[in-house]
Amino acid sequence: DLRRLSSSIDGVLLSPAASRRLHEHTGGHPLYARALLEELPAEALMEASSALPAPHSMSFLVLVRLAKLSPPAQDLVLAAAVLGSRCALSDAVRVAELADPVAALDEAVRAGMLINGPPGHPRDVAFPHVLVRAAIYADLSPARRHALHRRAGELVGGAPSLHHRVAAAIGPDAELAGELDTLAEQELSQLNWAAAAEHLLAAADLTGTAEQKGQRLARAVGAMIADGDVARAARYEDSVRATPPSTARSRVLGQIALFSGRLSAARRELATARLSGALDGTSAPDQAAIAAYLGLLSMIEGDVEQAVELCLDALLAGPPPEVTALARFALMLSLATQGRQAEFIGLIDSAADAGLLSASGFERQALQGMLALWSGQERLAEANLSAVLRDAPPGLLLQGRLMLQTGLAEALYRIGDWDGAASQAELASSLAEDAGIQIGLGMTYAVGGYLSAGRGLWELAESQVAIASSSAEMLPWWGSRAYAAVARATLAQARGDYPAMHHALRE
């Protein structure tokens, strides 16, 4: 509903992620949501790291009520706003430095600015609505905000302390940037891409040297890509491009270009990354990751022999965990293109022969499910892919999830479970749009087009087939072209237009 509302207000269709963020921020209140859509540019709503404000009309009412409180009660409310939507009362009292906290709390609660002991948290204080806190926090002067965050950072411990110290920092801070970098490394090892990206962005902001700042920014954007948020990564493309040349910079720019369908730019950047990495002593896993992306690119461009060679090189060199599955999938698809499926299954099933190429049981099931789909074994494909998506481990790359969901949708379509197929296809399309991923998007919309055509939903089918066809033109991979052609043929068949069906298949 919020996505449709955003389009009707300024013509910009919010991503599903931005819409969910707006829904959470406003509690789904339609007037608050509409006000923010009218007041804020779409970029502000889509950037996850920026705090959303309250609508102007609501902010005015909240701030008028706040101004009527005594100074101690105001101090308590401001301290609570800095600490979050809910915080321990003792923390708010210490940050506010109150002499008589009981009177201040009583006044703030009576004015409806705070809730004392919200359900399940008897020792906490909270705001009656997230927008009340947003209005108060946004109105803080920079000096007051920084002072309160600095005091909070000194009083609270753990990760919250680090958050407050970052909010209080002004200008380069090598020590704090180093702490953030160390925390991000731990999060990357735990496949917590989103948190790592936020901490690396903060570390980059606090870094004084251009080279180190560029390295941290590139790693942050790389974590966004690993998290599947290509759309957000693309918004940082110009910032990354403005940093000094480095292997990490070229690699990330190549990844963004690849997933957004700009193949020539992707090859240029990834080739530069591979060459510079060989010269500057880039680690073997990072070099393997570059080779894996070059392998995927070669597969898309139709050079399957080179794709097989690059993917094998990457897997034997031991790429990072987030790249291993991608390299193995590109290898599987390249071998399947040549009719060498048995060779691939032998590689992943025989640890003795494959060495580092042996896959986990989860990944083996996923790959065998896709091979079954392409071999005409729809029920085996459905069983494997359903189990894989149901039991997917944390850290599964979004690009892989999209391919598996599209494969499951196609298998369900073939065996006649059209409701299940439509559900999977819609979910895959939504995730792809949300993440800004172009690779595989044509396949997803093509499968959706099969279903809509079969149900006689002509307008929807035409839209889905058109997207599949335009995706195939933008990303000239034979798989995209094949799916788009079959989608056009399926729509023509459903309408009884057999010459058009014949024409589509001949293409």
Side-chain angles (χ1 to χ4, degrees):
D1 289 342
L2 285 175
R3 293 191 78 202
R4 287 193 293 271
L5 181 61
S6 70
S7 179
S8 69
I9 290 175
D10 62 3
V12 177
L13 183 67
L14 287 183
S15 69
S19 301
R20 286 192 296 272
R21 182 167 173 249
L22 180 61
H23 183 274
E24 180 179 347
H25 183 63
T26 61
H29 194 296
L31 291 179
Y32 295 155
R34 183 180 184 89
L36 286 177
L37 286 168
E38 292 174 343
E39 294 171 12
L40 297 177
E43 293 77 11
L45 292 166
M46 292 185 185
E47 180 47 57
S49 61
S50 62
L52 293 176
H56 291 319
S57 57
M58 182 180 183
S59 294
F60 176 77
L61 295 174
V62 169
L63 296 176
V64 166
R65 187 176 297 180
L66 177 66
K68 294 179 179 179
L69 299 180
S70 66
Q74 287 186 32
D75 289 343
L76 179 63
V77 173
L78 296 182
V82 164
L83 289 167
S85 296
R86 193 191 79 237
C87 66
L89 175 58
S90 59
D91 288 343
V93 168
R94 289 194 299 165
V95 171
E97 297 180 314
L98 296 176
D100 186 2
V102 175
L105 175 63
D106 182 69
E107 186 179 352
V109 170
R110 286 179 180 275
M113 303 302 290
L114 291 176
I115 299 171
N116 185 28
H121 303 278
R123 299 182 183 275
D124 290 358
V125 289
F127 289 92
H129 195 285
V130 66
L131 291 178
V132 175
R133 186 253 175 182
I136 296 168
Y137 185 83
D139 189 60
L140 284 168
S141 68
R144 188 72 179 273
R145 184 185 299 121
H146 285 287
L148 289 171
H149 275 297
R150 184 174 61 253
R151 197 176 306 151
E154 294 168 353
L155 294 174
V156 303
S161 175
L162 187 61
H163 162 76
H164 290 300
R165 288 168 59 206
V166 170
I170 299 177
D173 187 328
E175 181 181 352
L176 184 54
E179 289 183 47
L180 288 164
D181 197 301
T182 300
L183 177 60
E185 280 300 316
Q186 296 173 357
E187 291 162 339
L188 289 173
S189 67
Q190 298 164 356
L191 309 186
N192 189 354
W193 315 115
E198 294 304 324
H199 290 134
L200 285 169
L201 284 176
D205 286 340
L206 296 171
T207 300
T209 65
E211 290 76 12
Q212 193 172 29
K213 183 184 184 74
Q215 290 284 342
R216 285 170 170 162
L217 179 59
R219 287 164 56 211
V221 175
M224 295 175 198
I225 295 172
D227 194 40
D229 198 348
V230 177
R232 187 183 182 200
R235 293 199 291 273
Y236 283 90
E237 183 173 2
D238 290 342
S239 298
V240 173
R241 198 176 298 282
T243 64
S246 68
T247 300
R249 171 185 180 272
S250 295
R251 171 186 163 181
V252 163
L253 290 174
Q255 288 174 275
I256 293 172
L258 175 58
F259 286 122
S260 58
R262 293 174 283 135
L263 302 187
S264 59
R267 179 162 293 283
R268 181 174 63 252
E269 295 290 355
L270 290 171
T272 299
R274 198 179 196 201
L275 178 60
S276 63
L279 296 175
D280 64 17
T282 296
S283 67
D286 286 341
Q287 280 283 66
I290 296 168
Y293 279 103
L294 279 168
L296 176 62
L297 176 59
S298 296
M299 188 262 308
I300 293 170
E301 292 177 330
D303 190 348
V304 291
E305 291 289 352
Q306 185 180 52
V308 169
E309 180 181 346
L310 286 165
C311 291
L312 283 171
D313 288 346
L315 289 166
L316 289 170
E322 70 272 17
V323 180
T324 303
L326 178 143
R328 209 178 329 255
F329 179 79
L331 174 61
M332 175 193 72
L333 194 54
S334 299
L335 290 172
T337 300
Q338 300 172 303
R340 297 160 63 187
Q341 294 95 323
E343 180 179 337
F344 178 79
I345 293 174
L347 282 174
I348 65 172
D349 280 344
S350 175
D353 293 339
L356 292 174
L357 293 181
S358 58
S360 67
F362 165 82
E363 190 180 339
R364 184 180 296 109
Q365 188 174 23
L367 296 171
Q368 289 176 335
M370 294 303 295
L371 286 174
L373 176 69
W374 296 331
S375 302
Q377 303 174 70
E378 290 83 6
R379 294 198 177 276
L380 178 60
E382 186 274 332
N384 278 324
L385 296 177
S386 293
V388 164
L389 288 168
R390 182 184 63 243
D391 303 326
L396 174 63
L397 287 182
L398 182 58
Q399 293 90 334
R401 181 180 291 277
L402 288 171
M403 181 63 71
L404 295 176
Q405 282 181 322
T406 299
L408 177 57
E410 185 173 4
L412 290 169
Y413 166 74
R414 292 187 194 174
I415 64 178
D417 183 358
W418 285 17
D419 288 338
S423 175
Q424 293 295 329
E426 288 169 8
L427 180 57
S429 299
S430 176
L431 288 172
E433 290 178 5
D434 196 351
I437 296 173
Q438 296 299 320
I439 293 180
L441 187 62
M443 296 171 59
T444 301
Y445 274 98
V447 174
Y450 303 165
L451 291 155
S452 299
R455 287 172 161 168
L457 303 173
W458 306 123
E459 185 175 347
L460 178 58
E462 288 173 356
S463 173
Q464 291 168 323
V465 171
I467 294 174
S469 298
S470 62
S471 177
E473 292 174 4
M474 182 180 70
L475 193 66
W477 172 44
W478 63 265
S480 294
R481 292 197 299 271
Y483 271 88
V486 173
R488 291 193 297 271
T490 303
L491 177 57
Q493 181 189 36
R495 285 174 158 167
D497 188 349
Y498 301 115
M501 178 185 177
H502 181 258
H503 176 72
L505 293 175
R506 283 185 62 86
E507 290 184 340

